[in-house]
Amino acid sequence: MSNKVNNITTKRFVIRKSLIGTNTVITFTTKKGKSVTYNHDEVYNKNKERFESMNCFQKYKSYTNSNNIPTFCR
């Protein structure tokens, strides 16, 4: 079994159903220029119920925030 970590650099905070369980670490830069790195699976698992109840997550299978990491994920 591989423990390979996938690194992704984006322009926004993102949680996607397609990335769940892929051991992905995401880095993005906030509007204020601060670089933020987080483990996708850890953030998703800690807030799973919240993401699953969001309309955007049900409809588009993803949640994004272009300004910053959401307060409930910090």
Side-chain angles (χ1 to χ4, degrees):
M1 185 185 289
S2 175
N3 288 338
K4 183 177 184 292
V5 175
N6 298 311
N7 292 305
I8 297 177
T9 302
T10 67
K11 294 183 179 180
R12 63 188 54 86
F13 172 86
V14 64
I15 296 292
R16 285 191 201 119
K17 281 194 176 185
S18 62
L19 293 176
I20 296 169
T22 59
N23 201 22
T24 301
V25 174
I26 299 176
T27 302
F28 76 99
T29 304
T30 66
K31 296 272 187 193
K32 294 183 178 180
K34 180 182 174 189
S35 181
V36 178
T37 301
Y38 62 97
N39 182 302
H40 180 274
D41 290 344
E42 284 182 15
V43 173
Y44 172 76
N45 289 331
K46 287 180 182 174
N47 301 286
K48 182 176 182 175
E49 291 179 10
R50 189 169 190 151
F51 287 121
E52 294 292 339
S53 67
M54 292 179 178
N55 289 333
C56 62
F57 203 74
Q58 293 172 11
K59 187 173 183 178
Y60 302 111
K61 298 181 180 14
S62 71
Y63 169 82
T64 63
N65 186 325
S66 59
N67 295 315
N68 205 345
I69 190 164
T71 305
F72 66 90
C73 294
R74 292 183 192 159

